[in-house]
Amino acid sequence: MMKLVRNVNWDWFVQFRPFYKRVLNFGNEMMKGHCKILVFQTYNGLVAIGSLVFFVVAMSCAFLYLFPSVPPVVNSYPVSNSSSSSTDKCDVFEGRWIQDESYPLYNASECPFAEIGFNCFANGRKDRGYAKWRWKPKNCDIPRFDVRAVLEKLRGKRIVFVGDSLSRTQWESLICLLMTGVEDKKSVYEVNGKKITKQIRFLSVHFSSFDLRIDFYRSVFLVQPASVPIRSPKRVKSTLRVDKLDDISQEWIDSDILIFNSGHWWTPSKLFDM
């Protein structure tokens, strides 16, 4: 108890000073107004007052022991409102689309790997405004796409896209973007000589001058299909082995960058009826 009292911040007791004075004044008035009181009654009054004072002190010590002055658990950090060109200092997913007349970064009609069904210009669309938008994060700027710098960064690498038609169009767009920085367009070719269509499950484009491969594997669920269980409802046409990756997954292993897309297929309307 004495150790606890020594560690107490005595500034807290200043708040109780009026209360102490009131208690002592009460004792004095009681002694003055009752001079003829018996000695043992006076002694009992002093004991009562002393007990009350001791109770207040004990409660104060207990309060300071249970609720000591400690620094806040959550530290506050200054928030900078200035823009930064470094994407690792802000959330690049929080922002908005803004118009940029320098866009698009490539012409799909000049890219041999842009599937005809997704080439809006070649299919006769007149307005071009939809292609002149770029993403602007709230608190920073994304560096403009530098095709030569990207090609050098990816030299000798293998990039693999896995998913559905959305993955395929992303794969096509990346190839078309990178082709704008290649002088000899014939040095970029599909490895198996295939034409890009949605029926083909595997496509691979090689940038020979940079020893760069960009592959696409169609795998909408990423896992293996399975047979229909016995006595299952007639509406069940197929099942999935969620514990087994697609049988072509072994071909993704040696990739340097692996990009998945499968979310659209894992929905109630795609997998089952409620």
Side-chain angles (χ1 to χ4, degrees):
M1 184 65 181
M2 294 303 296
K3 183 179 180 181
L4 175 63
V5 172
R6 286 197 300 269
N7 294 331
V8 168
N9 184 353
W10 292 99
D11 292 338
W12 282 91
F13 290 103
V14 176
Q15 302 178 15
F16 293 98
R17 186 177 297 170
F19 181 75
Y20 301 152
K21 290 182 178 180
R22 197 175 305 172
V23 172
L24 294 175
N25 289 337
F26 172 76
N28 292 332
E29 292 296 329
M30 185 176 67
M31 293 296 294
K32 290 178 182 180
H34 303 278
C35 295
K36 296 181 180 180
I37 196 168
L38 295 176
V39 175
F40 73 91
Q41 290 177 326
T42 303
Y43 177 76
N44 290 339
L46 292 174
V47 171
I49 295 173
S51 299
L52 180 59
V53 173
F54 179 79
F55 174 76
V56 172
V57 173
M59 289 298 294
S60 301
C61 293
F63 177 82
L64 294 175
Y65 179 76
L66 294 174
F67 304 99
S69 298
V70 295
V73 175
V74 180
N75 295 324
S76 59
Y77 298 93
V79 179
S80 175
N81 294 323
S82 60
S83 297
S84 171
S85 60
S86 178
T87 56
D88 61 354
K89 294 183 179 179
C90 74
D91 184 0
V92 296
F93 298 101
E94 182 181 359
R96 62 190 180 92
W97 290 97
I98 63 174
Q99 287 187 316
D100 190 329
E101 291 301 320
S102 66
Y103 274 53
L105 298 179
Y106 69 90
N107 186 342
S109 298
E110 298 175 356
C111 180
F113 301 99
E115 190 176 349
I116 188 62
F118 296 100
N119 190 342
C120 298
F121 297 156
N123 287 317
R125 182 163 180 166
K126 302 299 182 183
D127 62 303
R128 302 295 178 95
Y130 72 95
K132 297 184 177 298
W133 293 87
R134 68 177 175 87
W135 181 251
K136 173 65 175 68
K138 184 177 180 180
N139 296 318
C140 67
D141 291 317
I142 298 177
R144 187 175 176 83
F145 188 82
D146 186 339
V147 62
R148 294 297 300 185
V150 174
L151 282 169
E152 288 299 333
K153 286 284 187 180
L154 298 178
R155 183 182 291 274
K157 299 292 193 298
R158 180 185 179 221
I159 304 174
V160 175
F161 287 80
V162 180
D164 56 9
S165 59
L166 180 60
S167 290
R168 192 181 71 254
T169 53
Q170 292 174 344
W171 171 79
E172 294 173 13
S173 293
L174 179 59
I175 293 171
C176 292
L177 275 169
L178 295 178
M179 282 196 69
T180 62
V182 177
E183 296 179 1
D184 183 8
K185 306 301 182 185
K186 293 182 179 180
S187 66
V188 183
Y189 56 90
E190 206 286 321
V191 173
N192 299 309
K194 297 178 180 178
K195 184 180 179 181
I196 298 175
T197 64
K198 62 182 180 180
Q199 286 80 20
I200 299 177
R201 196 177 187 195
F202 167 68
L203 293 162
S204 178
V205 170
H206 188 217
F207 288 72
S208 58
S209 56
F210 293 90
D211 191 24
L212 167 64
R213 273 186 57 181
I214 306 180
D215 299 346
F216 166 71
Y217 289 88
R218 180 174 174 80
S219 177
V220 297
F221 290 111
L222 308 181
V223 295
Q224 294 182 14
S227 59
V228 178
I230 300 175
R231 293 187 293 276
S232 61
K234 291 183 178 180
R235 62 185 177 87
V236 177
K237 305 299 181 183
S238 62
T239 58
L240 296 172
R241 289 288 306 274
V242 295
D243 60 335
K244 295 286 186 180
L245 281 175
D246 199 321
D247 55 4
I248 60 173
S249 62
Q250 293 297 317
E251 300 181 34
W252 315 337
I253 292 177
D254 64 342
S255 59
D256 296 288
I257 301 174
L258 185 56
I259 304 166
F260 290 107
N261 164 52
S262 181
H264 172 67
W265 296 86
W266 291 90
T267 60
S269 60
K270 288 283 186 180
L271 293 176
F272 55 85
D273 297 327
M274 298 297 292

